[in-house]
PDB file of all heavy atoms in Angstrom:
ATOM      1  N   ASN M  83      24.301  22.242  19.956  1.00  0.00           N
ATOM      2  CA  ASN M  83      25.264  21.262  20.678  1.00  0.00           C
ATOM      3  C   ASN M  83      26.453  21.931  20.760  1.00  0.00           C
ATOM      4  O   ASN M  83      26.776  23.089  20.320  1.00  0.00           O
ATOM      5  CB  ASN M  83      25.496  20.108  19.578  1.00  0.00           C
ATOM      6  CG  ASN M  83      25.045  18.843  20.210  1.00  0.00           C
ATOM      7  OD1 ASN M  83      24.082  18.834  20.979  1.00  0.00           O
ATOM      8  ND2 ASN M  83      25.685  17.790  19.787  1.00  0.00           N
ATOM      9  N   PRO M  84      27.464  21.317  21.488  1.00  0.00           N
ATOM     10  CA  PRO M  84      28.818  22.004  21.787  1.00  0.00           C
ATOM     11  C   PRO M  84      29.459  22.302  20.414  1.00  0.00           C
ATOM     12  O   PRO M  84      29.458  21.735  19.474  1.00  0.00           O
ATOM     13  CB  PRO M  84      29.522  20.902  22.595  1.00  0.00           C
ATOM     14  CG  PRO M  84      28.385  20.134  23.167  1.00  0.00           C
ATOM     15  CD  PRO M  84      27.317  19.995  22.222  1.00  0.00           C
ATOM     16  N   CYS M 123      25.192  19.558  24.774  1.00  0.00           N
ATOM     17  CA  CYS M 123      24.475  18.261  24.391  1.00  0.00           C
ATOM     18  C   CYS M 123      23.256  17.929  25.435  1.00  0.00           C
ATOM     19  O   CYS M 123      22.683  16.874  25.198  1.00  0.00           O
ATOM     20  CB  CYS M 123      25.358  17.203  24.291  1.00  0.00           C
ATOM     21  SG  CYS M 123      26.585  17.117  25.567  1.00  0.00           S
ATOM     22  N   GLU M 143      21.113  15.295  18.673  1.00  0.00           N
ATOM     23  CA  GLU M 143      22.071  14.934  19.570  1.00  0.00           C
ATOM     24  C   GLU M 143      21.720  13.518  20.077  1.00  0.00           C
ATOM     25  O   GLU M 143      20.685  13.395  20.875  1.00  0.00           O
ATOM     26  CB  GLU M 143      22.343  15.825  20.678  1.00  0.00           C
ATOM     27  CG  GLU M 143      23.179  15.303  21.851  1.00  0.00           C
ATOM     28  CD  GLU M 143      24.479  14.703  21.505  1.00  0.00           C
ATOM     29  OE1 GLU M 143      25.190  15.178  20.617  1.00  0.00           O
ATOM     30  OE2 GLU M 143      24.814  13.522  22.045  1.00  0.00           O
ATOM     31  N   SER M 145      22.598  11.378  22.332  1.00  0.00           N
ATOM     32  CA  SER M 145      22.511  11.063  23.767  1.00  0.00           C
ATOM     33  C   SER M 145      21.261  11.751  24.219  1.00  0.00           C
ATOM     34  O   SER M 145      20.567  11.193  25.174  1.00  0.00           O
ATOM     35  CB  SER M 145      23.814  11.552  24.505  1.00  0.00           C
ATOM     36  OG  SER M 145      23.910  12.941  24.408  1.00  0.00           O
ATOM     37  N   GLY M 313      31.997  14.737  32.339  1.00  0.00           N
ATOM     38  CA  GLY M 313      30.975  15.580  31.850  1.00  0.00           C
ATOM     39  C   GLY M 313      30.757  15.157  30.366  1.00  0.00           C
ATOM     40  O   GLY M 313      30.924  16.033  29.468  1.00  0.00           O
ATOM     41  N   CYS M 314      30.330  13.963  30.154  1.00  0.00           N
ATOM     42  CA  CYS M 314      29.935  13.476  28.773  1.00  0.00           C
ATOM     43  C   CYS M 314      28.868  12.445  28.972  1.00  0.00           C
ATOM     44  O   CYS M 314      29.100  11.428  29.433  1.00  0.00           O
ATOM     45  CB  CYS M 314      31.052  12.807  28.069  1.00  0.00           C
ATOM     46  SG  CYS M 314      30.520  11.978  26.543  1.00  0.00           S
ATOM     47  N   PRO M 315      27.593  12.878  28.560  1.00  0.00           N
ATOM     48  CA  PRO M 315      27.095  14.167  28.208  1.00  0.00           C
ATOM     49  C   PRO M 315      27.385  15.308  29.248  1.00  0.00           C
ATOM     50  O   PRO M 315      27.708  14.851  30.434  1.00  0.00           O
ATOM     51  CB  PRO M 315      25.518  14.075  28.141  1.00  0.00           C
ATOM     52  CG  PRO M 315      25.305  12.561  27.820  1.00  0.00           C
ATOM     53  CD  PRO M 315      26.550  11.831  28.545  1.00  0.00           C
ATOM     54  N   HIS M 316      27.360  16.567  28.938  1.00  0.00           N
ATOM     55  CA  HIS M 316      27.747  17.547  29.795  1.00  0.00           C
ATOM     56  C   HIS M 316      27.317  17.398  31.258  1.00  0.00           C
ATOM     57  O   HIS M 316      26.115  17.006  31.565  1.00  0.00           O
ATOM     58  CB  HIS M 316      27.108  18.955  29.168  1.00  0.00           C
ATOM     59  CG  HIS M 316      27.965  19.554  28.249  1.00  0.00           C
ATOM     60  ND1 HIS M 316      27.657  20.668  27.431  1.00  0.00           N
ATOM     61  CD2 HIS M 316      29.369  19.419  27.840  1.00  0.00           C
ATOM     62  CE1 HIS M 316      28.579  21.074  26.617  1.00  0.00           C
ATOM     63  NE2 HIS M 316      29.621  20.319  27.019  1.00  0.00           N
ATOM     64  N   CYS M 371      33.644  19.973  24.484  1.00  0.00           N
ATOM     65  CA  CYS M 371      34.015  18.793  25.290  1.00  0.00           C
ATOM     66  C   CYS M 371      35.296  18.258  24.486  1.00  0.00           C
ATOM     67  O   CYS M 371      35.698  18.736  23.533  1.00  0.00           O
ATOM     68  CB  CYS M 371      32.910  17.767  25.204  1.00  0.00           C
ATOM     69  SG  CYS M 371      32.730  16.932  23.606  1.00  0.00           S
ATOM     70  N   VAL M 373      35.900  15.720  22.903  1.00  0.00           N
ATOM     71  CA  VAL M 373      35.624  15.129  21.614  1.00  0.00           C
ATOM     72  C   VAL M 373      35.668  16.154  20.503  1.00  0.00           C
ATOM     73  O   VAL M 373      36.244  15.953  19.466  1.00  0.00           O
ATOM     74  CB  VAL M 373      34.418  14.131  21.558  1.00  0.00           C
ATOM     75  CG1 VAL M 373      34.019  13.678  20.087  1.00  0.00           C
ATOM     76  CG2 VAL M 373      34.596  12.982  22.507  1.00  0.00           C
ATOM     77  N   LYS M 391      30.555   7.324  26.667  1.00  0.00           N
ATOM     78  CA  LYS M 391      30.692   7.656  25.281  1.00  0.00           C
ATOM     79  C   LYS M 391      31.986   8.329  25.019  1.00  0.00           C
ATOM     80  O   LYS M 391      32.639   8.144  24.002  1.00  0.00           O
ATOM     81  CB  LYS M 391      29.457   8.641  25.021  1.00  0.00           C
ATOM     82  CG  LYS M 391      29.454   9.286  23.644  1.00  0.00           C
ATOM     83  CD  LYS M 391      28.348  10.175  23.329  1.00  0.00           C
ATOM     84  CE  LYS M 391      28.293  10.852  22.021  1.00  0.00           C
ATOM     85  NZ  LYS M 391      27.197  11.645  21.732  1.00  0.00           N
ATOM     86  N   MET M 392      32.498   9.137  25.974  1.00  0.00           N
ATOM     87  CA  MET M 392      33.801   9.820  25.825  1.00  0.00           C
ATOM     88  C   MET M 392      34.929   8.683  25.586  1.00  0.00           C
ATOM     89  O   MET M 392      35.796   8.895  24.773  1.00  0.00           O
ATOM     90  CB  MET M 392      34.153  10.582  27.086  1.00  0.00           C
ATOM     91  CG  MET M 392      35.353  11.381  27.098  1.00  0.00           C
ATOM     92  SD  MET M 392      35.575  12.536  25.904  1.00  0.00           S
ATOM     93  CE  MET M 392      34.294  13.844  26.271  1.00  0.00           C
TER      94      MET M 392
HETATM   95 FE1  F3S X 501      28.144  15.739  24.687  1.00  0.00          FE
HETATM   96 FE2  F3S X 501      30.747  15.778  23.705  1.00  0.00          FE
HETATM   97 FE3  F3S X 501      29.836  13.640  24.926  1.00  0.00          FE
HETATM   98  S1  F3S X 501      28.937  16.563  22.746  1.00  0.00           S
HETATM   99  S2  F3S X 501      27.632  13.663  24.626  1.00  0.00           S
HETATM  100  S3  F3S X 501      30.126  15.694  25.958  1.00  0.00           S
HETATM  101  S4  F3S X 501      30.944  13.676  23.114  1.00  0.00           S
END
Side-chain angles (χ1 to χ4, degrees):
N83 243 30
C123 47
E143 164 52 41
S145 60
C314 169
H316 271 171
C371 75
V373 168
K391 180 175 173 180
M392 178 65 66

